Amino acid sequence: MKRNFSLGNYNSFGVKHKANFFIEIKNKDQINDIINNKKYDKLHKLILGGGSNILFTKDYNGIVFLNKIKGIRKISEDDNNVLLRVGSGENWDDLVEYCVKKKYYGLENLSLIPGSVGAAPIQNIGAYGVEVKNLIENVEGIFLDNGIEKKFNNKSCEFQYRDSIFKGKLKNKFFITSVDFVLSKIKSFNISYRDLKYLDIKNISLNSLRNEIIKIRNSKLPDPRDIGNAGSFFKNPLVDRTTIDKIKNEFNDLVYFKDGDKFKIPAAWLIEKCGWKGYKENNIGVSDKHALVIVNYNAKKGKEIKELSKKIIDDVKGKFRINLIPEVNVI
Ligand code: FAD
Ligand code: EPU
């Protein structure tokens, strides 16, 4: 167990807050040892994967578990599908690359999303027309208050757009230790997303689709290794027809997409319309590549970033009467 440990290298914003206690977790027994130890059982606990969807705004007063539970295992297979059990501390994009190499179809559109496998169900990661909820069979883990193990089937994960039971009522209470994925062995691609429409379905392979996605993502999003960020800072808001009509009266270039019986407006469009794209103040700002990405040029503390996010929320609310909800987990 490390004390007063700097989290600077463990969060993609690169803020330099410290954790009171910090430990790398490689297996379930280690989790049980800590929660059964009188020295630690009452302390606050936080599970950290790649730190790519988290904003620390102060030092963490408790234990940070750095998840390094590894392993990819085939549980079953038939002519059509394969079921993989994956340790939650595996790197997400390494898993996608592994599946592409093995010719398991399903995860390729989620290429290059940073972070760990265990965090994928937390906010039901999604990109380029695919959400991970469509490929998850079970999520297994341990309750941190009593050490009880539980397996959640897909339905009981309560997946929604950028949300699940693990981001809601089980936040910081349940340590996800492995995730089971059902992948297809039958060739099929999802190129329905608007940015992929130019592809010719007859000429793509798993590998070429993965490479296209990587190319598009690199052109749109700043790389956290160059500039601190956590991807989209906010969720895209879902609104009703009346809101769309009202905004369209003033802005005939409004971008929106039908989503069930609602409409999704890109938060980036709203933020850009409020003039924030490329904004810079002292050590932080809004990416000039993508208006939904708050960037950290050199801030040591996360509080400044949180304050900027609040200014953006207020501005969008004032101009459009729409409440932006952070996607990033603010601690
Ligand atoms: P962390 O940031 O370490 O943790 C995120 C949350 O999950 C925290 O609340 C943490 O406590 C909790 N948590 C982590 N692991 C566990 C566990 N094992 N058990 C219980 N709780 C846990 N997201 C998308 O959905 N789509 C994208 O296209 C996308 N693009 C991105 C691009 C960039 C450049 C960046 C920086 C981020 C992007 N993200 C995207 C967000 C982020 O990559 C995902 O949310 C990812 O799943 C976070 O993984 P992580 O391991 O880094 O999670
Ligand atoms: N747009 C702007 N200004 C910008 C950028 C985009 O107005 O600076 C508008 C454009 O009209 C564009 C639209 O926003 O067509 C959508 O942009 P983009 O395709 O980049 O997607 P997004 O809605 O901003 C979402 C996810 C991303 C995911 C991409 C691709 C959310 C909150 N974000 O972004 O996920 O990679 O789609 O599927 O849903 C993340 O969650 O961290 C993340 C990066």
Side-chain angles (χ1 to χ4, degrees):
M1 184 77 71
K2 295 184 173 131
R3 296 293 314 266
N4 290 325
F5 187 79
S6 173
L7 300 169
N9 292 329
Y10 297 90
N11 72 94
S12 64
F13 269 119
V15 293
K16 311 283 183 220
H17 296 286
K18 288 180 179 169
N20 251 354
F21 298 90
F22 180 93
I23 187 161
E24 237 180 76
I25 297 292
K26 296 196 169 121
N27 54 55
K28 287 183 195 170
D29 291 346
Q30 263 180 299
I31 305 174
N32 278 313
D33 287 350
I34 292 167
I35 60 185
N36 292 322
N37 185 330
K38 286 269 163 293
K39 227 162 105 187
Y40 305 122
D41 63 349
K42 298 278 178 313
L43 296 174
H44 294 296
K45 297 175 184 73
L46 178 83
I47 305 139
L48 192 61
S52 64
N53 207 26
I54 205 159
L55 172 63
F56 290 101
T57 59
K58 49 183 181 283
D59 288 347
Y60 186 73
N61 184 15
I63 306 182
V64 170
F65 294 104
L66 181 68
N67 181 17
K68 292 283 174 194
I69 300 174
K70 299 283 186 184
I72 303 182
R73 198 153 55 92
K74 197 190 287 176
I75 301 290
S76 64
E77 183 173 17
D78 61 22
D79 289 347
N80 299 328
N81 294 302
V82 58
L83 182 66
L84 295 185
R85 177 156 302 165
V86 186
S88 59
E90 288 284 348
N91 175 273
W92 174 260
D93 196 48
D94 288 352
L95 172 66
V96 179
E97 189 181 32
Y98 171 91
C99 293
V100 165
K101 279 192 180 139
K102 293 271 185 192
K103 297 220 172 357
Y104 300 153
Y105 294 78
L107 297 182
E108 55 284 355
N109 290 38
L110 304 176
S111 288
L112 209 68
I113 296 180
S116 59
V117 166
I122 302 278
Q123 70 156 11
N124 175 25
I125 56 168
Y128 298 94
V130 173
E131 285 188 318
V132 78
K133 70 172 184 186
N134 300 329
L135 302 143
I136 289 179
E137 183 89 346
N138 303 298
V139 173
E140 257 185 272
I142 300 181
F143 286 98
L144 290 175
D145 56 349
N146 56 18
I148 291 176
E149 295 190 21
K150 180 163 170 160
K151 189 191 266 190
F152 288 77
N153 64 19
N154 183 293
K155 191 162 181 282
S156 53
C157 294
E158 298 176 14
F159 289 124
Q160 289 179 50
Y161 164 64
R162 293 298 190 272
D163 209 1
S164 74
I165 193 168
F166 312 110
K167 197 171 179 178
K169 62 178 177 235
L170 294 186
K171 189 167 187 159
N172 297 329
K173 292 190 166 70
F174 186 72
F175 192 132
I176 294 173
T177 52
S178 69
V179 183
D180 295 350
F181 296 92
V182 190
L183 303 165
S184 173
K185 288 165 67 182
I186 314 287
K187 188 171 174 177
S188 69
F189 298 106
N190 180 342
I191 53 167
S192 56
Y193 195 77
R194 48 196 178 274
D195 289 10
L196 303 176
K197 292 240 162 85
Y198 69 95
L199 294 173
D200 178 2
I201 195 119
K202 285 187 241 96
N203 289 327
I204 49 179
S205 65
L206 270 176
N207 203 38
S208 71
L209 181 51
R210 170 168 162 81
N211 289 337
E212 282 303 318
I213 303 262
I214 289 175
K215 209 162 75 190
I216 299 171
R217 293 183 64 95
N218 280 334
S219 72
K220 282 194 173 187
L221 295 166
D223 185 336
R225 286 172 302 187
D226 303 329
I227 309 170
N229 75 85
S232 304
F233 197 92
F234 303 100
K235 298 186 198 187
N236 286 330
L238 282 167
V239 301
D240 55 21
R241 178 91 244 173
T242 326
T243 309
I244 295 288
D245 291 342
K246 267 193 206 145
I247 300 177
K248 262 171 86 180
N249 269 340
E250 204 183 333
F251 299 92
N252 57 15
D253 61 340
L254 173 67
V255 178
Y256 61 99
F257 307 98
K258 189 137 182 39
D259 192 303
D261 54 356
K262 298 255 180 185
F263 298 87
K264 204 177 247 177
I265 303 183
W269 186 90
L270 298 166
I271 296 168
E272 184 168 347
K273 280 287 172 218
C274 290
W276 289 100
K277 190 169 179 177
Y279 171 85
K280 193 165 182 228
E281 86 183 24
N282 303 322
N283 296 315
I284 57 170
V286 174
S287 169
D288 55 7
K289 268 178 139 178
H290 203 299
L292 194 45
V293 183
I294 296 186
V295 287
N296 182 17
Y297 296 108
N298 205 14
K300 306 279 180 284
K301 308 237 183 275
K303 204 165 147 244
E304 289 178 56
I305 296 169
K306 185 179 174 190
E307 278 161 9
L308 174 58
S309 76
K310 281 193 170 150
K311 287 186 205 164
I312 295 172
I313 291 174
D314 289 347
D315 217 9
V316 168
K317 192 162 194 170
K319 201 172 175 99
F320 295 105
R321 303 276 122 214
I322 290 178
N323 202 17
L324 289 183
I325 296 170
E327 174 192 300
V328 170
N329 300 278
V330 180
I331 307 290

